[in-house]
Amino acid sequence: MQRLYFLLVFCFSLSLWAQEQKDDDLKIGVLLSGGGARGLAHIGVLKEIEKAGIIIDYIAGTSMGAVIGGLYASGYSADQIEEIVLAFDLNDLITDNFPRRSKSFYEKEAAERYVLTIPFDKFKFQFPSSISKGVNLYDEFVQKLAHVQSVTDFSQLPTPFFCMATDIETGESVLLENGFLPLALNASSALPTLFDPIEIDGKLYVDGGVTNNYPIDELKAKGVDYVIGVDVQSTLSDRSKLISAANILLQINQISITNDIERKRIKTDLYIQPALNDYSIISFSEAKNIIDAGKITAKTFAPILKTLAASQNAKATPRKHIPAATEIALSSIDFMGDSKYGRNYLNGKLRLKTPEVYTYEKIQDGINNIAATKNFRQFRYTFEKDTEDFYKMTLNLEDQPFDTTIGVGFHYDDLYKSAALINISQKQMLFQNDLASFDFILGDNLRYKFNYYIDKGFYWSIGVESEFNQFSADLDKKASLIESQDGLDFQSSRFFISDLSNRFFVETLFREEFVFRLGVEHKKILMRSSTAFNSSEPYHYLDDSHYYSAYGVLKLDTRDDLHYPTSGLFFRGDFNLSFDSSSNRFEENHKVFSIAKAMMGYTVSIGERYSFSLTASGGFTIDSPARKSFNFMLGGYGNQFINNIQPFLGYLPLHTNSNSYLKSSFLVDYKIGKSQHLKLTANIATTGNNVFQSDEWRTIQHTGYALGYGIDSFLGPLELTYSFSPEIEKGIWYINLGWWF
């Protein structure tokens, strides 16, 4: 009753005051404070302001208030802003989870090998300055504000606008009202530790809420007569929640912000504070509820809002729906900043040529390619009007201050057993755009992998690789590798295989998505068995030779995930010509031979839960070598085998042994929740000598089926799989824990 009486008195007083202002028109300003996810309540308040028919003459915001206010100032209605917000997973949007297709093949492997990667400089670990670079969020700002990207004076937007940021070097509160609007919003909402500072005109800015979360004085200075202030900041916690050092530090910071707003609150003509006690600054998953909370609170002020609208000379008209921007015409691309990475490298990553019309999606793909390298501490791009139809694109880059990283990984599977990985990577070691990486793998099977790569962008790149791989496997008497050893009596046998490979190669992009590689290779292969019953020797050697060859590879990988893809295409084609060999153990003269093989896979999703993958692979040798180490051997589960050893569910490793094969598999993946997977797999194969020279390839000789359960964790896939084959008398269990390496 008291609240109703207050509203009636307030509306009457407001009506008298507004009548006095009628002749000069009532200029209304709206102030939107920062508050992280709580700031989404601004949308609900703006809905009620629109509904009342109020014309906003100036809008100001800080942090999330700047984001919502900037979108509104650009011409979006509150309803359309809500549509935009709810269309995204905001938790994913604020992270740097770039699409897998944005990464080079090396970057994909690195992201899918290491549990943790830490910068290392001058014998000290350099921990990152923030959780996210905010690239994905900035991309969305750019696209959603494309219709006003030529407006550099924010007072000339459909609704005049400014936002607040903080100069991190001086501690000053800075008003941003000119420049590139997406960049200004990015700076105002750059919450420290969550996002890196944003550089504008040589100054570094962070979240405006650090120094001025409620810029009422700045808004009044714009000549507005009446201020509607919306406060969504967190309130002070009681003693029951102050039980940790982190919470106490947050409370100390919140005290100064709260006291500042309390001083400014009395200057506010209409103060609206939505009921948001159930939500925190990171409650982005509750976006719809937070928006509704803002609307519910604003509804209680409906009489006041309608009185304000009636006091304005002009009458509000419904805002037009702004169509989504799809493309932009680029006249040129400039790179700013003192970067040690050359223009060819940057252009090779960006993959844009001018003048040309590009979709925003294509531009974002190029930006993601640069971001995925992790070579830059900061990079932002802007568009500036060049001609009537074309824009100049400028990328501002700042290199990472460190070039060395240390990575670690862990893995267990039935073949390699336990393994721990330590990696050290060094960029700019010898030349510009180069990378050296060394993996040392400890565990049941010691291994290593060294890569040195000079990335030349659009031009031919150069690389050197060296790796050592080894494992041992138990084979039963039905394995064709055993059956092929004439004169030796095997009931079962433990085979050991090692491979030392050294390669020099050149490669280039082919039609943007493909990578084409040419190189030369040296291999030292050792393959032996230790359990032949009728042999006097401790080992039976199948191979112990050096091989020299030339090779070519064509690769394509657009899958969105390596282990649990929901879409994408994979292709790899290999051709190898062995031109020389040597061995101290075998006396046969070298025989020139070649190997051709290919693999193709396609994944598609149906709905949100189901994905289907179809994979086909095959290979053959021409003039088969004397030794069997290059034969195609099928069996087992995994993706880190040696040479032509291939996985085949339902069989133990190395079960088949032939100079040619054809295999296909079909997988159904049912996603349970956000990270759990149930997988059903069927694979079939034909193996034999020269199967493609007759109709034999049409005959299915081997079949296998599997049911698996997997969890997509930060350690990598955690999987348990049961498989069986009609040709094998008992089922086989496979265990895989962690990233493969």
Side-chain angles (χ1 to χ4, degrees), residues 370-410:
I370 294 177
T373 66
K374 299 183 179 180
N375 290 336
F376 304 97
R377 170 190 285 181
Q378 184 172 162
F379 49 93
R380 289 294 186 270
Y381 59 101
T382 60
F383 297 119
E384 182 181 348
K385 195 88 170 175
D386 190 17
T387 64
E388 184 172 348
D389 298 320
F390 282 81
Y391 289 83
K392 179 176 71 174
M393 182 178 181
T394 302
L395 276 79
N396 293 278
L397 304 167
E398 180 185 353
D399 295 342
Q400 288 283 12
F402 51 81
D403 292 321
T404 307
T405 59
I406 293 178
V408 294
F410 308 94

Side-chain angles (χ1 to χ4, degrees), residues 76 219 232 242 311 371 456 526 575 595:
Y76 287 110
L219 180 57
V232 296
L242 301 176
S311 304
K456 294 290 187 177
L526 173 64
F575 184 81
I595 302 171

Side-chain angles (χ1 to χ4, degrees), residues 92 96 99 109 169 235 238 245 257 267 272 288 308 342 344 465 482-483 585 596 664 690 704 715 738:
D92 289 341
D96 288 332
E109 290 181 0
E169 293 182 290
T235 56
D238 59 34
I257 297 175
K267 301 178 183 180
I272 301 176
K288 178 61 177 171
L308 287 171
N344 288 335
E465 292 179 342
I482 291 179
E483 293 176 345
R585 193 175 300 275
S664 62
N690 307 313
L715 295 172

Side-chain angles (χ1 to χ4, degrees), residues 517-586:
R517 174 182 291 191
L518 292 173
V520 291
E521 178 182 62
H522 159 258
K523 279 183 176 291
K524 170 63 170 66
I525 295 179
L526 173 64
M527 182 182 293
R528 71 188 184 201
S529 170
S530 59
T531 56
F533 290 162
N534 60 339
S535 175
S536 60
E537 300 294 327
Y539 300 112
H540 175 67
Y541 288 87
L542 285 78
D543 202 350
D544 187 8
S545 309
H546 295 267
Y547 295 89
Y548 306 89
S549 61
Y551 71 96
V553 182
L554 182 63
K555 296 186 291 185
L556 169 71
D557 189 357
T558 65
R559 294 171 296 181
D560 58 351
D561 190 84
L562 176 62
H563 296 284
Y564 303 109
T566 60
S567 64
L569 178 68
F570 171 81
F571 174 82
R572 175 167 177 150
D574 295 71
F575 184 81
N576 187 291
L577 174 64
S578 178
F579 53 78
D580 196 11
S581 69
S582 62
S583 176
N584 294 324
R585 193 175 300 275
F586 302 103

Side-chain angles (χ1 to χ4, degrees), residues 224-480:
V224 298
D225 304 309
Y226 192 95
V227 174
I228 302 173
V230 189
D231 177 15
V232 296
Q233 71 166 348
S234 300
T235 56
L236 295 175
S237 302
D238 59 34
R239 66 174 63 188
S240 65
K241 298 180 180 178
L242 301 176
I243 56 177
S244 69
N247 287 345
I248 292 174
L249 289 173
L250 288 172
Q251 180 88 336
I252 293 171
N253 181 66
Q254 193 63 40
I255 288 173
S256 61
I257 297 175
T258 300
N259 290 339
D260 181 61
I261 288 189
E262 285 300 319
R263 289 191 297 269
K264 295 176 176 179
R265 179 177 179 175
I266 60 176
K267 301 178 183 180
T268 309
D269 299 291
L270 179 58
Y271 180 81
I272 301 176
Q273 188 176 35
L276 301 171
N277 290 335
D278 294 334
Y279 310 104
S280 71
I281 63 172
I282 59 173
S283 299
F284 291 103
S285 60
E286 301 286 341
K288 178 61 177 171
N289 293 334
I290 295 174
I291 294 171
D292 291 342
K295 184 177 180 179
I296 291 170
T297 301
K299 273 184 177 293
T300 64
F301 296 94
I304 299 174
L305 297 175
K306 290 179 181 179
T307 302
L308 287 171
S311 304
Q312 294 182 298
N313 291 334
K315 300 302 178 184
T317 57
R319 294 196 162 201
K320 296 181 179 179
H321 186 275
I322 299 174
T326 58
E327 59 185 28
I328 183 173
L330 300 182
S331 59
S332 63
I333 301 173
D334 292 334
F335 299 98
M336 304 294 292
D338 187 21
S339 176
K340 56 192 173 187
Y341 295 92
R343 188 178 183 91
N344 288 335
Y345 173 84
L346 295 170
N347 279 327
K349 294 296 181 182
L350 197 59
R351 301 181 189 177
L352 303 176
K353 297 181 179 181
T354 56
E356 187 61 80
V357 177
Y358 289 105
T359 64
Y360 281 95
E361 183 180 4
K362 180 66 176 177
I363 293 173
Q364 290 175 11
D365 285 344
I367 294 298
N368 288 340
N369 292 344
I370 294 177
T373 66
K374 299 183 179 180
N375 290 336
F376 304 97
R377 170 190 285 181
Q378 184 172 162
F379 49 93
R380 289 294 186 270
Y381 59 101
T382 60
F383 297 119
E384 182 181 348
K385 195 88 170 175
D386 190 17
T387 64
E388 184 172 348
D389 298 320
F390 282 81
Y391 289 83
K392 179 176 71 174
M393 182 178 181
T394 302
L395 276 79
N396 293 278
L397 304 167
E398 180 185 353
D399 295 342
Q400 288 283 12
F402 51 81
D403 292 321
T404 307
T405 59
I406 293 178
V408 294
F410 308 94
H411 183 79
Y412 177 86
D413 68 83
D414 301 290
L415 185 64
Y416 285 95
K417 306 301 180 182
S418 60
L421 166 67
I422 300 175
N423 167 269
I424 183 168
S425 297
Q426 175 69 47
K427 296 179 179 180
Q428 309 283 320
M429 187 173 76
L430 299 177
F431 302 100
Q432 189 182 55
N433 309 341
D434 74 356
L435 170 67
S437 173
F438 182 78
D439 287 346
F440 183 57
I441 302 170
L442 301 166
D444 293 283
N445 293 279
L446 293 177
R447 293 169 282 157
Y448 82 81
K449 186 173 184 178
F450 172 77
N451 286 280
Y452 179 78
Y453 186 67
I454 303 175
D455 194 338
K456 294 290 187 177
F458 278 127
Y459 301 95
W460 285 90
S461 301
I462 303 171
V464 176
E465 292 179 342
S466 179
E467 63 180 315
F468 176 73
N469 194 350
Q470 63 176 344
F471 66 80
S472 56
D474 291 318
L475 307 183
D476 61 36
K477 62 181 181 180
K478 293 184 178 180
S480 59

Side-chain angles (χ1 to χ4, degrees), residues 56-356:
I56 301 175
D57 295 284
Y58 230 109
I59 190 166
T62 298
S63 194
M64 182 59 79
V67 174
I68 303 302
L71 290 171
Y72 193 85
S74 75
Y76 287 110
S77 68
D79 285 337
Q80 196 171 2
I81 296 174
E82 181 180 25
E83 292 175 5
I84 293 172
V85 168
L86 296 181
F88 295 106
D89 185 329
L90 294 179
N91 285 313
D92 289 341
L93 196 61
I94 63 176
T95 63
D96 288 332
N97 293 326
F98 305 113
R100 188 171 181 270
R101 67 176 183 275
S102 301
K103 303 172 183 172
S104 67
F105 277 89
Y106 174 80
E107 291 159 354
K108 289 174 184 174
E109 290 181 0
E112 295 155 352
R113 291 167 72 86
Y114 312 127
V115 175
L116 179 66
T117 302
I118 303 175
F120 188 79
D121 185 44
K122 297 179 181 178
F123 301 99
K124 294 182 180 179
F125 289 109
Q126 304 292 321
F127 292 97
S129 59
S130 65
I131 298 174
S132 170
K133 304 276 182 202
V135 178
N136 292 333
L137 186 61
Y138 183 74
D139 285 342
E140 291 302 325
F141 287 162
V142 171
Q143 186 169 4
K144 294 299 181 292
L145 297 169
H147 59 287
V148 293
Q149 62 192 4
S150 61
V151 180
T152 57
D153 181 353
F154 302 163
S155 67
Q156 300 303 307
L157 291 168
T159 299
F161 169 76
F162 71 82
C163 60
M164 305 305 298
T166 301
D167 188 322
I168 191 62
E169 293 182 290
T170 66
E172 295 178 305
S173 177
V174 180
L175 187 149
L176 302 178
E177 58 182 346
N178 295 286
F180 192 58
L181 181 58
L183 195 60
L185 301 187
N186 207 196
S188 182
S189 58
L191 184 66
T193 69
L194 178 59
F195 298 117
D196 275 355
I198 303 299
E199 182 176 353
I200 302 178
D201 298 330
K203 295 185 177 181
L204 285 179
Y205 296 111
V206 296
D207 195 304
V210 174
T211 53
N212 192 350
N213 202 36
Y214 199 80
I216 191 169
D217 295 327
E218 291 80 1
L219 180 57
K220 283 181 173 290
K222 296 299 181 181
V224 298
D225 304 309
Y226 192 95
V227 174
I228 302 173
V230 189
D231 177 15
V232 296
Q233 71 166 348
S234 300
T235 56
L236 295 175
S237 302
D238 59 34
R239 66 174 63 188
S240 65
K241 298 180 180 178
L242 301 176
I243 56 177
S244 69
N247 287 345
I248 292 174
L249 289 173
L250 288 172
Q251 180 88 336
I252 293 171
N253 181 66
Q254 193 63 40
I255 288 173
S256 61
I257 297 175
T258 300
N259 290 339
D260 181 61
I261 288 189
E262 285 300 319
R263 289 191 297 269
K264 295 176 176 179
R265 179 177 179 175
I266 60 176
K267 301 178 183 180
T268 309
D269 299 291
L270 179 58
Y271 180 81
I272 301 176
Q273 188 176 35
L276 301 171
N277 290 335
D278 294 334
Y279 310 104
S280 71
I281 63 172
I282 59 173
S283 299
F284 291 103
S285 60
E286 301 286 341
K288 178 61 177 171
N289 293 334
I290 295 174
I291 294 171
D292 291 342
K295 184 177 180 179
I296 291 170
T297 301
K299 273 184 177 293
T300 64
F301 296 94
I304 299 174
L305 297 175
K306 290 179 181 179
T307 302
L308 287 171
S311 304
Q312 294 182 298
N313 291 334
K315 300 302 178 184
T317 57
R319 294 196 162 201
K320 296 181 179 179
H321 186 275
I322 299 174
T326 58
E327 59 185 28
I328 183 173
L330 300 182
S331 59
S332 63
I333 301 173
D334 292 334
F335 299 98
M336 304 294 292
D338 187 21
S339 176
K340 56 192 173 187
Y341 295 92
R343 188 178 183 91
N344 288 335
Y345 173 84
L346 295 170
N347 279 327
K349 294 296 181 182
L350 197 59
R351 301 181 189 177
L352 303 176
K353 297 181 179 181
T354 56
E356 187 61 80

